[in-house]
Amino acid sequence: MGKVKLKYFSRVREIIGKPSELIEVKSKNLQDLIEELQSMGEQYSVLKGEHFVVYSAVDQNMVTDFKASIEGATEIAFFPPMTGG
Amino acid sequence: MGKVKLKYFSRVREIIGKPSELIEVKSKNLQDLIEELQSMGEQYSVLKGEHFVVYSAVDQNMVTDFKASIEGATEIAFFPPMTGG
Amino acid sequence: MNCKIIVGVQKTDFDLNLEMEALKLKTKKAGAVVFFVGKVRDLEDDKLKYLEIESFEELAKRKIKDICDDAATTWDLEYILVKHRFGRLELNDNIVLVITSSKHRKNAYEASRYIMECLKSNVPFWKKEVANNTQNWVENS
Amino acid sequence: MNCKIIVGVQKTDFDLNLEMEALKLKTKKAGAVVFFVGKVRDLEDDKLKYLEIESFEELAKRKIKDICDDAATTWDLEYILVKHRFGRLELNDNIVLVITSSKHRKNAYEASRYIMECLKSNVPFWKKEVANNTQNWVENS
């Protein structure tokens, strides 16, 4: 795969320490991507959703199956439960 | 009893032909008052509620029992079902 | 019960922005505000010329006040405003404004619906729809 | 389905009077208009300094549009408007405006509640309450 824009929001953004980054992704699904990111730094373990639920949107579609393919994706976002309204 | 201000609203007002009048009332309850008014003209028979329900408010308190006393009242209103909002 | 209650029976129109400003002075702890506006709508099969609303003003005010008191006892509310117009109103003119405000939205919604139900049949207003070919007193809905 | 839908994700505030005028141009057959306004409220036990709302703008817009489409399919509505703000908001500032309009009030009320429920948990906004002594991301309510 090529370069993918990763976006982080709210508590995820605070823990990872940046709102977005452009990285070269090798993984083919979200689960693998999270492992891949974790090798870059411990802060990325937040994405595993062990402290609070983490949602993901791939090219602006919410994804519930973290094993679904992300091939061809250009933007992947991670965020905690939403609290609008 | 003395003079009482009678008020009519909506369809009741249209049928009786005036919004209000001040009359010398002899009756001691609404039922008798309606009879008394009817002797003044057939249009007052609308108050009997045979064509549509007619409500009454005595001194601005809604009255459901037409046999309750109206002695000492200064204002008696008659009107059809309300349609606010 | 610490609910501010405002009641009006009036010919004049409402100003939603001004009402919102007035509310905010009183409801710093409220997160939810529900406005219900009833407006004059066109008829299904005839062209409305205007709506005429007749009112028994003094009694209407008292009845509305009673309804607001009931609502304030039933739901945890910070603010209730009910203003009902009478007289001749044109298509799309505002008829009634009900504002309810509460900490959480459930109370504001439920109180608003309750107040509107009561206004429909327990408060002395009567609406007459004057159209091109018809003219009739509105029935309850 | 002939329902006008308007969606906004924005920093700027709303003007209730202007929104009402815009609505009236489109809803001559609607008698009921429900406005829900969510506003910044003070905390129970600390003094709020401000509320910070973060948003994933593009996705938020799409999700709100989906919710409005759902509502327009479920209820007989003439008009739906949802505008949600983000950025720094002060005490009593407006956060969200939901307008629903229908011939009869039941549909407008129900659709408004449905849309608000969805906005609370299905649209990517996150609120952080910054107070004198605390600072925390709001949990769902």
Side-chain angles (χ1 to χ4, degrees):
Chain A
M1 281 186 65
K3 283 200 187 278
V4 177
K5 172 109 174 229
L6 299 181
K7 288 186 170 182
Y8 312 114
F9 293 96
S10 180
R11 277 184 288 171
V12 174
R13 170 182 54 71
E14 288 182 340
I15 290 166
I16 290 180
K18 50 186 124 177
S20 68
E21 58 190 323
L22 195 65
I23 71 160
E24 193 76 42
V25 166
K26 295 182 203 74
S27 309
K28 299 198 165 160
N29 65 43
L30 287 172
Q31 202 170 37
D32 294 346
L33 173 61
I34 292 169
E35 298 286 340
E36 187 182 340
L37 290 168
Q38 228 183 316
S39 70
M40 290 164 50
E42 206 28 59
Q43 70 275 25
Y44 289 98
S45 65
V46 65
L47 301 177
K48 293 160 88 176
E50 284 163 0
H51 296 298
F52 53 84
V53 180
V54 172
Y55 294 105
S56 181
V58 176
D59 288 334
Q60 292 178 30
N61 289 302
M62 298 280 293
V63 171
T64 46
D65 178 6
F66 274 40
K67 288 187 172 169
S69 167
I70 56 170
E71 285 191 89
T74 60
E75 179 196 278
I76 299 176
F78 293 98
F79 45 84
M82 299 159 271
T83 55
Chain B
M1 279 187 66
K3 284 202 186 275
V4 177
K5 173 110 175 224
L6 299 181
K7 289 187 169 183
Y8 312 114
F9 293 97
S10 180
R11 279 185 286 172
V12 174
R13 171 182 54 71
E14 288 181 340
I15 291 165
I16 291 180
K18 52 185 123 180
S20 68
E21 58 189 325
L22 194 67
I23 70 158
E24 192 76 41
V25 167
K26 293 182 203 77
S27 309
K28 299 196 164 160
N29 65 45
L30 287 171
Q31 201 171 36
D32 293 348
L33 172 62
I34 292 168
E35 297 288 339
E36 187 181 338
L37 289 167
Q38 227 183 318
S39 70
M40 291 164 50
E42 207 28 61
Q43 70 275 24
Y44 289 99
S45 66
V46 64
L47 300 178
K48 291 159 89 176
E50 283 162 2
H51 297 296
F52 53 84
V53 180
V54 172
Y55 294 104
S56 181
V58 176
D59 289 333
Q60 292 178 33
N61 290 301
M62 299 279 294
V63 171
T64 45
D65 177 6
F66 274 41
K67 289 188 172 169
S69 168
I70 55 169
E71 285 191 88
T74 61
E75 179 196 277
I76 299 175
F78 294 98
F79 45 83
M82 298 160 271
T83 57
Chain C
M1 179 173 109
N2 188 22
C3 176
K4 172 96 177 162
I5 295 175
I6 295 166
V7 170
V9 172
Q10 58 192 65
K11 286 206 164 184
T12 52
D13 197 7
F14 329 118
D15 183 311
L16 300 179
N17 288 336
L18 285 184
E19 296 298 0
M20 188 61 162
E21 289 315 308
L23 176 144
K24 284 182 174 176
L25 296 175
K26 299 283 177 187
T27 63
K28 297 212 174 5
K29 301 243 170 186
V33 189
V34 173
F35 288 67
F36 179 91
V37 180
K39 67 182 184 71
V40 181
R41 68 192 185 95
D42 209 356
L43 303 178
E44 291 298 324
D45 38 339
D46 197 357
K47 183 86 194 112
L48 185 83
K49 281 163 73 182
Y50 63 89
L51 185 74
E52 184 75 37
I53 302 184
E54 191 169 331
S55 81
F56 183 178
E57 266 185 78
E58 314 88 305
L59 182 58
K61 238 182 222 166
R62 283 185 47 189
K63 297 289 271 181
I64 295 174
K65 181 66 171 59
D66 289 347
I67 293 166
C68 293
D69 286 344
D70 273 0
T73 314
T74 309
W75 290 280
D76 185 11
L77 300 170
E78 305 276 319
Y79 196 91
I80 306 175
L81 175 145
V82 177
K83 291 188 173 177
H84 200 298
R85 299 177 71 188
F86 62 92
R88 177 178 165 145
L89 298 175
E90 310 298 324
L91 182 61
N92 258 339
D93 277 358
N94 298 324
I95 300 170
V96 62
L97 171 64
V98 174
I99 304 179
T100 48
S101 184
S102 54
K103 281 186 191 117
H104 302 289
R105 67 192 179 286
K106 186 168 178 288
N107 288 321
Y109 274 121
E110 289 184 0
S112 180
R113 283 190 80 161
Y114 169 80
I115 292 168
M116 279 307 302
E117 287 305 315
C118 294
L119 284 177
K120 286 277 164 182
S121 51
N122 298 339
V123 180
F125 291 105
W126 301 271
K127 290 191 195 124
K128 183 188 245 179
E129 289 169 342
V130 180
N132 275 340
N133 306 305
T134 55
Q135 171 157 337
N136 76 297
W137 291 99
V138 173
E139 302 284 321
N140 248 317
S141 66
Chain D
M1 181 172 106
N2 187 23
C3 176
K4 172 96 178 162
I5 294 176
I6 295 166
V7 171
V9 172
Q10 60 192 65
K11 285 206 165 185
T12 51
D13 197 7
F14 329 119
D15 183 312
L16 301 180
N17 288 335
L18 285 183
E19 296 299 0
M20 187 63 162
E21 289 315 307
L23 176 145
K24 284 182 174 178
L25 296 174
K26 300 284 177 188
T27 62
K28 296 213 176 0
K29 301 244 170 187
V33 189
V34 173
F35 289 66
F36 180 91
V37 180
K39 67 182 184 72
V40 181
R41 69 191 183 94
D42 208 356
L43 303 178
E44 291 298 325
D45 37 340
D46 197 357
K47 184 85 196 112
L48 186 83
K49 279 163 74 182
Y50 62 89
L51 186 74
E52 184 75 38
I53 302 185
E54 191 169 330
S55 81
F56 184 179
E57 265 186 80
E58 316 86 304
L59 182 59
K61 239 182 220 165
R62 284 184 46 189
K63 297 289 272 182
I64 294 174
K65 181 68 170 61
D66 289 347
I67 292 166
C68 293
D69 287 343
D70 274 0
T73 314
T74 309
W75 290 279
D76 186 12
L77 299 170
E78 305 277 317
Y79 196 91
I80 305 176
L81 176 145
V82 177
K83 291 189 173 175
H84 200 300
R85 300 177 71 188
F86 62 92
R88 177 178 166 146
L89 298 174
E90 311 297 324
L91 182 61
N92 258 338
D93 277 358
N94 297 326
I95 300 170
V96 61
L97 171 64
V98 174
I99 304 179
T100 49
S101 184
S102 55
K103 282 186 190 114
H104 303 289
R105 67 192 179 285
K106 186 168 177 290
N107 288 321
Y109 275 122
E110 289 183 0
S112 179
R113 283 189 80 161
Y114 170 79
I115 292 168
M116 279 306 302
E117 288 304 316
C118 294
L119 285 177
K120 287 277 165 182
S121 51
N122 298 339
V123 180
F125 292 105
W126 301 272
K127 290 190 195 126
K128 182 188 247 181
E129 289 168 341
V130 180
N132 275 340
N133 305 306
T134 56
Q135 170 157 339
N136 77 297
W137 291 99
V138 173
E139 302 284 321
N140 248 317
S141 66

